[in-house]
Amino acid sequence: VIKCKAAVAWEAGKPLSIEEVEVAPPKAHEVRIKIVATAVCHTDAYTLSGADPEGCFPVILGHEGAGIVESVGEGVTRVKKGDTVIPLYIPQCGECKFCKNPKTNLCQKIRITQGKGVMPDGTSRFTCKGKQIYHFMGTSTFSEYTVVADISVAKIDAAAPLDKVCLLGCGVSTGYGAAVNTAKVEPGSTCAVFGLGGVGLAVIMGCKIAGASRIIGIDINKDKYARAKEFGATECISPQDSKKPIQEVLVEMTDGGVDYSFECIGNVGVMRAALEACHKGWGVSVIVGVAAAGQEISTRPFQLVTGRTWKGTAFGGWKSVDSVPKLVTEYMSKKIKVDEFVTHTMPFDKINESFELMHSGK
């Protein structure tokens, strides 16, 4: 058993607490990882808020991390001690019907136990002050050591800087994949990206790499426009600058609507606007943002009858074990940006401040 520091969420709505936790050794088909770097994501904050119906407490959150394999359990062949890895919140077992289908990346092998905050055998590897602590998204990267299923880990280039490539565990991969895998953006197309946070910027990057000729960034926070343009946005607009609904503004700006739109916020009203900003006959709108539980989307069916397509994406459609190492290689060869997404690098015990920075849009 390893004793180490972790940021524990004891209950919903309270700040994380830095505690000493015990991390049990990995059982069969499990891997214990020394986490070197982790990022914070709105998904962690959503669960911490108490709004997530799958949220279990006390829990160690975090799902954007990178580290080194410390030890492996019986039967693990995919990785070995000393390997550089990224934990995966969507695993890839290679055996279930989802993994065998090229149309999806949503491996279901450990979905039920992962959603309940435990390892595939139904137990936890974390304890603190004598209490069992739940796992989160199969990763729990807010701990100096974590244990994950062997299908939830990708071995990557040992030369990769872990404080950067941890972002490929969620946000950057999600946005980039939404553009190149889910929407399949084509050269010369016009795109609109709603929400210019990390995921939105990654979508913009993907649209640019795919050869889009016009990329319109949409956000009420104008402080985000300069960075969006660095990533490839050709122009940025705010919905608050017009009395008309934003979809009408976009339809006028683009002679009938955009070819591709992306919702990167998780707001059901914005999801509707993103669909209705698409061009009649061929426009495709991709939902990337995760709305709160129980919320519903609506539009007039005529929007779809007249040729628009509504799609969604999780982790950008990437089959995780196969794709994350390739994404790291693309970053190392400078095909995709990752460094530019990092605004602040902070010590682990300042994790609550990093969430404050995220909520303030900084």
Side-chain angles (χ1 to χ4, degrees):
V1 175
I2 287 177
K3 289 187 176 181
C4 68
K5 279 198 303 186
V8 177
W10 287 108
E11 55 184 300
K14 296 279 172 73
L16 302 177
S17 176
I18 302 291
E19 305 279 3
E20 183 180 80
V21 299
E22 294 87 40
V23 184
K27 293 188 183 179
H29 295 288
E30 296 177 1
V31 179
R32 188 159 60 181
I33 302 167
K34 179 181 183 182
I35 298 289
V36 174
T38 186
V40 297
C41 172
H42 280 281
T43 309
D44 305 305
Y46 168 62
T47 298
L48 185 59
S49 75
D52 180 357
E54 269 198 354
C56 320
F57 296 89
V59 64
I60 295 173
L61 299 169
H63 63 283
E64 276 185 317
I68 311 291
V69 174
E70 178 273 335
S71 60
V72 299
E74 189 186 335
V76 175
T77 55
R78 296 179 172 213
V79 292
K80 62 184 187 303
K81 181 177 178 176
D83 282 350
T84 305
V85 294
I86 290 177
L88 307 167
Y89 69 89
I90 295 180
Q92 186 186 350
C93 72
E95 295 161 1
C96 70
K97 71 177 181 181
F98 287 78
C99 281
K100 287 179 174 171
N101 191 320
K103 295 177 180 175
T104 185
N105 63 327
L106 296 174
C107 172
Q108 295 296 294
K109 182 80 178 271
I110 59 172
R111 177 72 197 94
I112 305 294
T113 49
Q114 182 172 315
K116 290 177 177 168
V118 290
M119 295 300 288
D121 73 345
T123 62
S124 168
R125 301 293 162 268
F126 297 121
T127 50
C128 181
K129 297 179 179 171
K131 288 185 182 163
Q132 172 183 290
I133 309 291
Y134 286 108
H135 294 250
F136 178 69
M137 290 176 76
T139 52
S140 290
T141 60
F142 293 173
S143 175
E144 291 177 325
Y145 287 85
T146 190
V147 178
V148 305
D150 63 350
I151 59 172
S152 302
V153 64
K155 181 183 174 183
I156 61 162
D157 185 340
L162 300 186
D163 62 327
K164 305 295 192 295
V165 296
C166 62
L167 295 178
L168 293 170
C170 181
V172 175
S173 304
T174 296
Y176 176 43
V180 299
N181 295 332
T182 310
K184 296 185 168 60
V185 171
E186 296 150 324
S189 47
T190 298
C191 301
V193 181
F194 291 78
L196 301 177
V199 174
L201 295 176
V203 170
I204 289 171
M205 176 177 77
C207 292
K208 184 179 180 185
I209 289 170
S213 59
R214 192 171 177 193
I215 305 170
I216 305 163
I218 301 126
D219 202 300
I220 56 176
N221 182 351
K222 296 186 177 182
D223 294 342
K224 297 190 171 186
Y225 292 178
R227 183 160 284 209
K229 287 176 178 170
E230 286 169 29
F231 278 88
T234 52
E235 61 218 283
C236 294
I237 58 172
S238 169
Q240 295 175 338
D241 286 350
S242 172
K243 292 204 170 100
K244 291 180 185 169
I246 187 69
Q247 52 267 54
E248 287 181 27
V249 174
L250 285 160
V251 166
E252 285 175 11
M253 282 173 66
T254 56
D255 185 28
V258 299
D259 302 313
Y260 300 97
S261 71
F262 301 86
E263 199 280 353
C264 306
I265 302 161
N267 178 310
V268 292
V270 178
M271 291 173 190
R272 177 174 187 158
L275 177 79
E276 295 177 359
C278 284
H279 202 287
K280 182 190 283 190
W282 64 76
V284 174
S285 185
V286 180
I287 293 172
V288 194
V290 178
Q295 295 194 330
E296 297 182 356
I297 48 173
S298 61
T299 189
R300 291 183 179 165
F302 197 66
Q303 292 284 335
L304 302 174
V305 171
T306 50
R308 294 170 193 84
T309 303
W310 224 342
K311 301 180 88 170
T313 189
F315 196 55
W318 301 106
K319 287 197 183 267
S320 58
V321 173
D322 292 344
S323 303
V324 167
K326 292 175 186 166
L327 291 167
V328 171
T329 301
E330 286 192 4
Y331 157 68
M332 300 289 276
S333 62
K334 297 196 165 38
K335 184 190 171 185
I336 60 173
K337 297 179 193 277
V338 177
D339 296 11
E340 293 81 357
F341 286 90
V342 179
T343 55
H344 300 74
T345 302
M346 304 170 80
F348 186 35
D349 55 15
K350 294 266 192 345
I351 191 160
N352 287 308
E353 290 173 41
S354 67
F355 275 103
E356 287 164 20
L357 287 164
M358 182 179 72
H359 287 308
S360 66
K362 293 182 176 151

